[in-house]
Amino acid sequence: MLISTKGRYAMRVMIDLAEHMSDGFIPLKAIAQRQDISEKYLESIIKLLVRARLLSGQRGKGGGYRLTRPPEAYTAREILELTEACLAPVACLEPGAGPCPSAAYCRTLPLWRGLDRVITEYLNGVSLADLMQKTAPGNDYVI
């Protein structure tokens, strides 16, 4: 699994909008400038997010984009699944993959299933609100 530029930028856009929620609708140009992403490329990402109803848009003067829910209500997985073809670590675990002819004797399948479960649980456990914090989630332990 390799997260594409589109996935990484979608995460950055969502964090940016979460951090500027009090500003109302944020123009695409402002997001593009803050995130150093081309407006043209950003348009394609925003379309996906609006179509999935993670964002709402408003045209005209005072228009732009904003989150449809509070930052705590978004997971990293939900955002990445919109931009990535698949988050599975191997092809046999991709959604819609046919039965693997080697599954009955594959010694590594449990490893890949476990990794897939860890990835899913981790991404489900990280909210947009977590990503707004200055420290990375999970780095708050004390010895």
Side-chain angles (χ1 to χ4, degrees), residues 56-108:
S56 61
Q58 181 173 303
R59 293 178 180 250
K61 187 170 174 71
Y65 300 92
R66 69 177 180 191
L67 301 179
T68 57
R69 307 186 306 244
E72 304 79 37
Y74 294 90
T75 66
R77 179 178 176 213
E78 172 183 29
I79 297 164
L80 289 173
E81 281 185 337
L82 291 174
T83 59
E84 305 307 311
C86 179
L87 295 173
V90 291
C92 63
L93 296 178
E94 291 178 356
C100 176
S102 306
Y105 56 87
C106 179
R107 306 286 296 272
T108 60

Side-chain angles (χ1 to χ4, degrees), residues 12-13 29 43 94:
R12 287 173 44 191
V13 165
K29 186 174 187 168
E43 282 176 12
E94 291 178 356

Side-chain angles (χ1 to χ4, degrees), residues 118-138:
V118 168
I119 291 168
T120 299
E121 289 172 5
Y122 179 74
L123 293 175
N124 275 335
V126 178
S127 73
L128 199 52
D130 295 330
L131 296 171
M132 292 170 64
Q133 304 301 315
K134 298 299 180 206
T135 58

Side-chain angles (χ1 to χ4, degrees), residues 32-49:
Q33 286 176 340
R34 280 194 298 262
Q35 295 302 316
D36 195 27
I37 301 171
S38 109
E39 281 186 63
K40 187 83 169 153
Y41 191 49
L42 189 55
E43 282 176 12
S44 67
I45 295 169
I46 293 278
K47 281 181 187 178
L48 288 172
L49 298 169

